[in-house]
Every structure is written in structure tokens, then in C-alpha cells.
Amino acid sequence: MSQAYTFSRRAWMLGAAQGAVGLMLAGRMAWLSVAQNERYTMLSESNRVNMTLLPPRRGWIVDRHGVPIANNRTDFRVDIIPDRLRDKERVLPLLGRILQLPPEEVERIAIDLEHAAGFQPVQVAENLDWERFAAVSVRLPELPGVAPTRGFARSYPAGAAVAHLTGYVGVPNAEQYKKTRDPLLVTPGFKLGKDGLEKMLEPELRGIAGAKRVEVTARGKLVAELATKPDVPGKTARLTIDVGLQEYAARRLGTNSGSVVVIDTRTGEMLAMVSMPAYDPNSFSDGISHLEWQMLSDDDHVPLMNKVTQGLYPPGSTVKPMNGLALMNAGVDPSTRINCSGAMRLGTSVFHCHKKSGHGPLDLKNAIMQSCDIYFYEMARRVGYNAIAPVARVLGLGQKFNLPFSTQRYGTVPDPAWKLKKYKHDWTVADSLNASIGQGYVLANPLQLAVMAARLASGRALQPSILANHVHRDSPALAIDSEHLARVRDAMFGVINQGGTGGAAKLLIPGVAIAGKTGTAQVRRITMAERRSGVLKNGQLPFKMRDHALFIGFAPADNPRYALAVVLEHNGHTVRNLDTPMIARDIMTYMLDRERALKSLAEVEPTWGGDIRTRMAATAETYRKAQSAPPAAIATKTDAIVPSDAPAVVNATDMANATQEALTTPGSTVAEDDTRDRQQ
């Protein structure tokens, strides 16, 4: 009986142990099949199905009429994911043969792979035809790490004409990915805004990624395409810009280094914002080489700089209409005459007028028309610059505008308090004289000059806008006497149409007149010794030593609709059809008589070496031939530096600042010689 009891006890314990194990197995099975069902279903599905993100279609940027400035084109492309690449020595030559790539392009891919982060796609080719794209797709099992993608690429139909307006898109860099760990940033074919409006409007333009699902074998061979989650396109951004005018203004600047801003005087809408020369945003978006970046960086016309927002210039005589308002506001009778003998002595310094022999006695209107420096010297000496600076600010100089550009420089409207704070020196009468002709410490960007022209034309405190849904309508009237404004507008009419300095800007449209003001800004000090021996003409000087040329204006003069500013760096008034008056004339003509303006451009553009694309291609070819470039020069530039932050832009800015400092040192006098501001 004892033996039977022992057996029963052992059997029970063994049965209990077996039952426990059975329960554990059942529980585990229940856990795996119920609680972990979704996880293992997904793992199983991932073995059977490959899912990749699809870059969203980027929102378009369109002009005021809906014409595309930046849009998307269908794109077949091939990239390599370095982390997934196996047997590079076999894959690259094979890929080169399939895609029929030239040897230098295969070498470029190899160099890019060496410098890329492991997770960062390296572009092999874009804009492929279907045959080559399909040839890669069917041989994917032989090409580990190769990622063919059918998607959309960014396109800028106007090319360089809109580069500094739109900026461009590019592949995210490693730092951007590490900051967010967003898988979209390392998805082949995805690009984000790098500069300009593309960067500032990134949240609206990006859209939401889709997903592509394909069934594969264990070896990764494609079995079937499954249902795809579509992307959500980004929003369209409508600008106030007229892209036709934008392209025309860019072409009309010709070979100049300069900028143009055109504003609607009813609303403050910016109709054109051009900075030339520029880069091709299509090239940047595809991925430029180090050689192309170096070419742009070496160019003394600084094509990487957005001169509209980053360029600061002494406004020269373009401030004289504004000064006229300030003088009348300070109690100066506009009929009072000042005798111009050609020079004015102040202590040991002599301040010269641009007309060496002098203008004789002039009232305010004729002083503006003839751009007489002596008149404004004397009046500034009488009233003090403290009476002028507030009016300059009212008209937009030194003002910050709420616009979607990350790089803006705002210039200076100086006064005694400003100088004491910045330089720890008292304001002098010489400072007032230099400032009265838009030199000395006075600095403005082209946008501010265009705003000044628009406010003079409209009599209202217009605010510039570039996004169609952020237009500042119903601007208040300026706190300036309407009679004073009428007198200044009449003087600006005389500058162009009654024998003033801007006769070359006279419109060729019967019955329509433009009002404006020419300007010259020196970038070098003219010594007394040079004056005695004869002031050198701009054509005799190196490019960087030539005067800047400026123009502000509005039309029609009797009922202003459009205002503009043209600023040409180191133009020196050396070529008549490339000078500010005729450029302003043709751009304003485009707004009022398009066919006449296009005809005028067609007559002169061939003499400059052709259109923008032709000249850029010729420049690039000449640069390539002149360089003994190492292999690394053909590699794609992938660092984080963009045009607006480029060392070339910083250097140009520093040089301009140093030049301005040199012209404002104690005892320095600044004035134009008799050839620089008179453009009949």
C-alpha cells in the first residue's frame, strides 16, 4: 500500500508539472497569438512586403496671375544608400553600364559616397528616361543599396531670373537629420527648402509623405505592387510678383551687377524683385559641383548675393527729393535760391558739386532737377541733419519690413545720437553735408529705395508685400503736407522731362511720362591732388573702384501706378544702354506697353552676348577651361552653406563696410565729378 501511495504521489507531481508546462505553453501561445498578434503580423508582413516613404509633391510657387515660378516635373531617378551598399567595386561599374554614365560621372558618384553619411542618399542620376529606369529596376537583386525612385523634381522655369526670390531645394544634410530623426529626410528623392522663399515657406510647401508597398521574395525580388498610400501635396504659395516682369527686368539688367524692385503704388505689392547676376536654382536643386560653387564664389559680381535684401549702398542723389520734403517741412521756402559756384568751403575742407563750373542760382525744383550738391550742402548746413533724418525714416529708409526673407540688412539713417552711440564722436557740419547728398553714413538697400519712391508717388505709408495673402491694403496717409509732395513730384517730373539729369529715362510711349531721380554713389575718396590733375573717369578705373549708379522713379507721372528702384554696383555710367535711366525706362515701359519694351530689349540684348542662359553657359565653359581642377572638384557640394550665407557674400559685405568706413573718416569729403550724375 505504501508503494502504491508513493507511485500515485509521483504520478500526481509529474502530471502537475506537465500540466504547468502545458499551461505555460498555452499561455505563451495565447500571448503570441492574441496580445502580440499585431506585432508579429507586422513583422511577418515586413518580411513579405517592403514599404518605402514617397516624398510628397511640393507645393507650387506661382505669380500673381497663377503662372508657375516653381513647380514640379515627373522625375525618374536613381540613388544609392551607402549603408545598404554591398560590393561597391562591382555595383558602381555595373550601374554605370546600365545607365550609360560617362566615366567622370561614375568617379563623381564614388567621391560622393566617400563623403556621405551612411544614411544619406547619394544621387546617381536624375531625369532618366523610362528605358534606363526600368533597366535598373529589373536588376535590383544584383544592385544592393541602389534605390530607383519615380517621383517629382523641383523646376524653376525662369531659371536665374528668380534665383534670389525663390531660393532652391536640396537634399537634407546630416545635421538636419540628426536633429529631427525624421525618416523622410533620408528618403531618396526628398528635398527641402535651402534658401529664399523655399526655405522660409517650407512648412506650407512640404506636404505629407505617402508610402509605397511591394511584395518581395526572401531574396528581395519583386513579386507584386500592393496598394500605395498617396502623398498629400503641399500648399500653393501665390506671390504678388509678375513673373513676366521679373524675367524682363533680369534680362534688361544685362551684364550689370545690380538689382531692380518694382512696387504697385496702390497696394505696396512687390511686382518684381530682381538681383543679378545669379545662379541657376535648377542646377542647385540637382546638386552643383564644387567647381561650379567655386566659380560663383570667385565672380567679382557676387552672383551668390541677394542684392535687394543684402546689399547696402549710399543712396546718392536719389535722396534729394526726400531732402526737399524735409527742407520745406523745416520752413525753407522752395523759391529761395542758392548760388552754386561749383564748390563750398567748410573750415579746411572743400565740398564740390558734380558740375565743376557750378549751376549758378537755383531754387529747390531746379536743384533737384540738376542734382545740385551745393544747394543741399547749404540747406543742410542751415537746418541741420536732425531736421532731415525723421523724414527719411518716414519714407522708408532704415526701416525693417515684415517679409519672408531670412537675410535682410536695413542700412542707416544717421543723426547726432546715432553717431555718438556708435563712434563716441560728436556730429559735425561735414557729416550733415555728406548725408545731404546721400553719402557719408547714409546707407539703404534697394527695397528701401523702391519704398521711398512708392511713398513719394502715393503720399501713403505703403508697406511692401510679396505674399498675395499678406498684402497691407489701405495704408494711412503720410504726415507730410500734400503741397510739399506735389512740388517734389513736379521736380522729379522735371528731372526726366524738363532738362534734368535723367533725360535718358524719358518714356517712348506717347502721352505717358515718368518722374524720377538719378543718383551716383562714390566708393572711393577723391583727393585734392587728383582734382588738380583731373579726376579719373569711371572707365579708367578697375571695376570695384567705379561709382554705383542709382535711379528711383514712378509712372505715369500725373497718376502714379508703379514705382521702381534700380541700383547698379560699380556701373560708373560707362555704357549708356546699360545705365540706370534707360534700364528704368524700359522696365517701366514693360508695365505700360509690353510689346514696345520687348522690341527695345531685342535690339540691345545681342550686343551683351545673348540672353541670361547663353551668357551663363559661356562663362561656365570659360571658367572650366581655365581651371586645372582636381577630381574632387567634380564631386557634389553637400555641405550646409547656402548662397545667402556664403563666404563670398560675407567678404563682399565686409569690403563694402570697410569702404564706407574709409569714406566717413574725419576730414573726408565726398562729391561727384562733372560726368557722373548727368545722363541726358
Side-chain angles (χ1 to χ4, degrees):
M1 185 165 177
S2 174
Q3 186 177 4
Y5 174 77
T6 301
F7 175 79
S8 298
R9 183 167 169 241
R10 288 177 179 172
W12 181 85
M13 291 177 66
L14 181 60
Q18 290 175 332
V21 171
L23 286 173
M24 288 175 62
L25 291 174
R28 179 63 175 168
M29 290 177 63
W31 170 258
L32 293 175
S33 61
V34 179
Q36 294 289 291
N37 177 269
E38 184 176 355
R39 175 171 177 257
Y40 284 100
T41 298
M42 292 178 65
L43 287 174
S44 173
E45 186 72 1
S46 69
N47 285 333
R48 185 182 69 90
V49 177
N50 280 347
M51 186 173 74
T52 57
L53 289 176
L54 294 177
R57 285 164 290 175
R58 198 165 178 83
W60 286 22
I61 300 176
V62 301
D63 83 342
R64 62 190 300 108
H65 305 298
V67 178
I69 297 175
N71 58 9
N72 305 313
R73 53 177 169 75
T74 303
D75 180 38
F76 294 106
R77 60 178 294 122
V78 173
D79 297 274
I80 292 176
I81 312 300
D83 275 348
R84 302 176 189 170
L85 181 61
R86 301 290 181 270
D87 196 2
K88 182 174 73 171
E89 287 69 23
R90 182 188 63 82
V91 170
L92 283 188
L94 176 58
L95 194 57
R97 288 194 298 273
I98 295 172
L99 294 175
Q100 302 168 27
L101 300 176
E104 60 269 20
E105 191 64 14
V106 176
E107 184 177 8
R108 189 270 305 167
I109 297 167
I111 297 172
D112 285 355
L113 284 169
E114 290 176 8
H115 294 91
F119 48 77
Q120 187 176 21
V122 168
Q123 178 181 306
V124 174
E126 282 192 315
N127 304 323
L128 292 171
D129 55 60
W130 170 252
E131 287 74 18
R132 287 191 293 166
F133 178 78
V136 173
S137 298
V138 298
R139 299 185 69 174
L140 278 183
E142 304 173 57
L143 301 168
V146 175
T149 308
R150 178 180 180 178
F152 296 89
R154 203 60 159 169
S155 174
Y156 305 91
V162 299
H164 291 295
L165 172 67
T166 60
Y168 65 100
V169 297
V171 176
N173 56 50
E175 288 71 24
Q176 289 170 319
Y177 173 70
K178 290 174 182 177
K179 185 177 180 181
T180 64
R181 294 293 173 179
D182 183 347
L184 180 59
L185 299 190
V186 292
T187 299
F190 174 73
K191 295 179 180 179
L192 49 71
K194 290 282 189 173
D195 211 355
L197 292 176
E198 291 278 27
K199 176 182 178 181
M200 300 304 291
L201 302 180
E202 176 67 23
E204 293 84 0
L205 295 173
R206 179 180 294 190
I208 301 173
K212 177 183 179 182
R213 299 168 67 244
V214 293
E215 187 175 0
V216 294
T217 66
R219 293 179 175 268
K221 187 176 181 179
L222 177 66
V223 175
E225 290 195 10
L226 304 178
T228 296
K229 176 187 175 184
D231 65 302
V232 178
K235 297 177 181 177
T236 296
R238 183 181 292 270
L239 307 184
T240 62
I241 295 293
D242 180 331
V243 75
L245 173 65
Q246 180 85 10
E247 288 190 76
Y248 183 86
R251 292 172 62 190
R252 188 58 187 84
L253 282 173
T255 56
N256 279 299
S257 172
S259 54
V260 174
V261 179
V262 182
I263 292 178
D264 188 321
T265 60
R266 301 169 305 172
T267 61
E269 293 170 284
M270 295 171 64
L271 304 177
M273 192 200 87
V274 178
S275 174
M276 294 299 291
Y279 56 87
D280 184 353
N282 293 297
S283 177
F284 266 62
S285 294
D286 290 343
I288 68 165
S289 67
H290 288 279
L291 183 65
E292 186 174 353
W293 176 263
Q294 191 61 46
M295 178 189 70
L296 294 168
S297 299
D298 290 345
D299 193 327
D300 62 1
H301 285 35
V302 200
L304 295 172
M305 174 186 279
N306 181 352
K307 297 172 178 67
V308 173
T309 60
Q310 293 181 284
L312 289 180
Y313 311 91
S317 295
T318 61
V319 300
K320 288 174 179 174
M322 176 275 294
N323 287 350
L325 288 177
L327 294 175
M328 288 186 285
N329 187 61
V332 171
D333 185 342
S335 63
T336 298
R337 291 175 178 266
I338 298 295
N339 184 59
C340 171
S341 62
M344 173 181 175
R345 181 170 291 279
L346 180 69
T348 59
S349 299
V350 178
F351 287 76
H352 296 266
C353 186
H354 69 86
K355 187 175 183 181
K356 190 174 181 179
S357 61
H359 291 98
L362 294 174
D363 61 8
L364 176 60
K365 176 179 178 178
N366 282 283
I368 293 174
M369 285 175 53
Q370 303 304 324
S371 201
C372 177
D373 296 329
I374 301 300
Y375 178 94
F376 289 97
Y377 289 152
E378 175 59 25
M379 287 304 184
R381 185 187 65 79
R382 293 183 186 183
V383 305
Y385 202 73
N386 262 339
I388 298 174
V391 178
R393 296 187 185 104
V394 165
L395 290 183
L397 299 192
Q399 189 171 348
K400 299 180 180 181
F401 304 113
N402 183 23
L403 293 169
F405 295 103
S406 59
T407 51
Q408 294 186 61
R409 302 176 69 213
Y410 304 106
T412 304
V413 176
D415 57 27
W418 171 86
K419 184 181 179 184
L420 187 62
K421 181 179 179 181
K422 183 173 178 64
Y423 293 105
K424 306 298 186 288
H425 293 299
D426 291 331
W427 188 266
T428 66
V429 176
D431 293 331
S432 292
L433 269 57
N434 278 333
S436 73
I437 63 165
Q439 296 266 188
Y441 296 112
V442 185
L443 288 172
N445 66 37
L447 173 59
Q448 291 168 336
L449 295 179
V451 170
M452 179 171 69
R455 291 182 179 180
L456 285 169
S458 68
R460 295 188 292 125
L462 294 172
Q463 295 293 320
S465 56
I466 201 163
L467 299 178
N469 59 348
H470 285 88
V471 176
H472 310 282
R473 303 184 186 277
D474 303 319
S475 300
L478 296 170
I480 295 176
D481 190 295
S482 59
E483 184 180 341
H484 296 170
L485 278 167
R487 284 184 177 274
V488 166
R489 291 180 193 134
D490 181 51
M492 294 176 72
F493 175 85
V495 168
I496 312 298
N497 305 285
Q498 295 176 338
T501 59
K506 188 177 296 183
L507 293 183
L508 303 178
I509 305 172
V512 183
I514 182 175
K517 182 70 190 80
T518 56
T520 302
Q522 286 180 215
V523 298
R524 70 187 187 97
R525 185 177 179 180
I526 301 174
T527 65
M528 292 303 295
E530 184 181 341
R531 289 189 184 280
R532 285 192 294 269
S533 62
V535 176
L536 293 173
K537 308 302 182 186
N538 276 291
Q540 300 171 282
L541 297 169
F543 173 72
K544 287 291 186 179
M545 298 298 289
R546 297 174 187 172
D547 301 330
H548 299 318
L550 307 96
F551 184 94
I552 64 167
F554 53 83
D558 57 351
N559 185 23
R561 174 72 186 277
Y562 308 110
L564 89 169
V566 182
V567 178
L568 306 179
E569 292 182 337
H570 309 294
N571 168 273
H573 306 302
T574 52
V575 180
R576 185 176 173 84
N577 66 23
L578 284 171
D579 200 1
T580 51
M582 294 187 74
I583 290 174
R585 179 200 71 183
D586 286 352
I587 291 173
M588 197 62 81
T589 298
Y590 181 92
M591 299 305 297
L592 303 167
D593 189 337
R594 187 167 302 187
E595 292 303 315
R596 190 186 298 267
L598 290 170
K599 181 180 178 181
S600 177
L601 177 61
E603 292 172 356
V604 293
E605 193 172 44
T607 67
W608 307 329
D611 61 17
I612 295 171
R613 286 185 175 87
T614 301
R615 296 199 308 271
M616 288 179 68
T619 298
E621 182 62 23
T622 301
Y623 187 86
R624 278 194 293 270
K625 288 181 178 179
Q627 301 298 309
S628 298
I634 65 174
T636 306
K637 175 185 170 293
T638 57
D639 57 36
I641 299 176
V642 299
S644 57
D645 299 325
V649 174
V650 175
N651 292 339
T653 300
D654 290 343
M655 183 179 295
N657 291 341
T659 299
Q660 190 65 16
E661 288 285 343
L663 288 174
T664 54
T665 53
S668 175
T669 65
V670 184
E672 301 155 353
D673 77 90
D674 62 358
T675 66
R676 301 187 180 196
D677 197 37
R678 188 167 187 81
Q679 295 294 316
Q680 294 288 356

